[in-house]
Amino acid sequence: MKFAAAGRRERTLALDMTPMIDIVFQLLIFFLTTTQLARTAEELLELPREEGSNEEVRAASAFTVNLLADGTIQVADREVSLEELRRLASRSGGEAPVVRADRAAGVESLNALVRALRDAGGTSVRLAVDPPVDRSGAGADAP
Amino acid sequence: MLALNLATMLDATFLLLGYFLVTAATDRLERRLDASLAGEGAAVAPADLEPVVIEVGGEPGRPWYRVGERAVAERASLLALLRQLDPRSQVRVLASSGPSVEAVTTAIQIARDAGFTEVAYDPGS
């Protein structure tokens, strides 16, 4: 009996969690960073509430222009002039630019922006809209 | 006896859970309204059909829409008006100074809802 008691050793399995936690945090930082980078082109704007086209949701576009409520034009989180916008648009390729305009922005600012895109060789634009959640209001009068 | 300290892994898991919950709540889906640009490169309407011109005016929050001689202020009225026209025509949306961007997108959206496939936006010159 004494032999049996002496031969039983208490064994513990030591799992080193440190590398796994390292990897988890690396992944976390990676996703945080890439998400932030992906959103640099998109300002927080109050987009017009319209249904838009059904076939596409958040498609990546080569060129996104933000028009703020005060008429400021931003590209990739940077304020640009109309002349600079024209230059950037002419280098962006043939894909239709996405115009994310605040719903409260004046139409004069939108016209100037779109004219710059047209002068840069653009033939169409894609206006970003925010689809209403409740479709029961479709067909209601404009506010 | 297997002694696993799960505290750190749970910390990381809950951190990830919290992050995805927060981002999912703020991530709104956007859609696009396509419009060709009038003037250069706009699609050509059939020769026998006159383009339908929607003029947008008014002021922010109180826009009006003029099609030919008729001016309407309500969304439903504009939709009804456009539905009387041939949807093969090209629609040109013009906006003078005064209204906000939302009035322009409303005009484009209603033209599409009325069945028009060729919708152009004319920013003027």
Side-chain angles (χ1 to χ4, degrees):
Chain A
M1 300 296 274
K2 282 186 179 177
F3 278 115
R8 196 191 316 143
R9 282 186 179 172
E10 193 166 324
R11 295 195 312 174
T12 57
L13 179 59
L15 279 180
D16 189 4
M17 301 290 287
T18 313
M20 190 170 74
I21 293 166
D22 282 349
I23 289 171
V24 168
F25 276 106
Q26 292 282 351
L27 282 173
L28 176 68
I29 291 167
F30 168 75
F31 284 119
L32 280 172
T33 311
T34 49
T35 308
Q36 289 303 319
L37 284 175
R39 289 184 182 181
T40 8
E42 296 187 358
E43 288 295 313
L44 281 175
L45 299 172
E46 287 289 325
L47 296 175
R49 290 205 185 278
E50 296 295 343
E51 191 60 29
S53 63
N54 285 326
E55 69 253 23
E56 182 186 8
V57 176
R58 195 176 286 283
S61 174
F63 192 56
T64 301
V65 186
N66 297 297
L67 177 64
L68 277 57
D70 63 355
T72 307
I73 301 170
Q74 289 193 344
V75 175
D77 213 17
R78 192 169 63 88
E79 187 176 337
V80 297
S81 64
L82 285 172
E83 184 56 39
E84 203 171 353
L85 174 67
R86 209 169 286 128
R87 222 173 24 249
L88 289 169
S90 61
R91 289 187 303 205
S92 67
E95 195 176 355
V98 173
V99 176
R100 300 181 73 252
D102 195 292
R103 76 173 80 145
V107 79
E108 303 89 351
S109 308
L110 179 69
N111 282 343
L113 188 155
V114 173
R115 274 198 299 269
L117 295 175
R118 190 180 61 182
D119 293 347
T123 57
S124 62
V125 289
R126 320 194 80 184
L127 296 166
V129 291
D130 184 15
V133 177
D134 183 13
R135 288 295 291 133
S136 62
D141 291 343
Chain B
M1 181 181 175
L2 181 62
L4 280 177
N5 185 10
L6 291 174
T8 46
M9 194 169 71
L10 285 174
D11 282 351
T13 304
F14 278 111
L15 208 59
L16 281 171
L17 179 67
Y19 167 71
F20 284 117
L21 279 175
V22 170
T23 51
T26 58
D27 191 19
R28 291 183 309 175
L29 295 178
E30 293 177 5
R31 289 187 182 167
R32 314 288 185 226
L33 259 181
D34 295 342
S36 56
L37 298 181
E40 299 174 25
V44 179
D48 58 333
L49 294 173
E50 285 290 318
V52 176
V53 178
I54 304 175
E55 188 187 349
V56 184
E59 55 190 64
R62 298 183 65 185
W64 50 255
Y65 310 93
R66 190 192 309 274
V67 180
E69 297 297 316
R70 292 191 59 185
V72 293
E74 295 172 351
R75 192 183 177 99
S77 306
L78 179 60
L79 182 63
L81 187 59
L82 291 178
R83 279 191 171 150
Q84 295 170 6
L85 305 173
D86 192 335
R88 291 175 301 158
S89 306
Q90 186 194 48
V91 169
R92 293 171 72 120
V93 177
L94 292 164
S96 56
S97 60
S100 62
V101 166
E102 189 159 39
V104 172
T105 54
T106 298
I108 296 173
Q109 178 71 61
I110 292 174
R112 295 229 174 255
D113 291 347
F116 291 88
T117 53
E118 298 294 341
V119 182
Y121 179 56
D122 190 347
S125 55

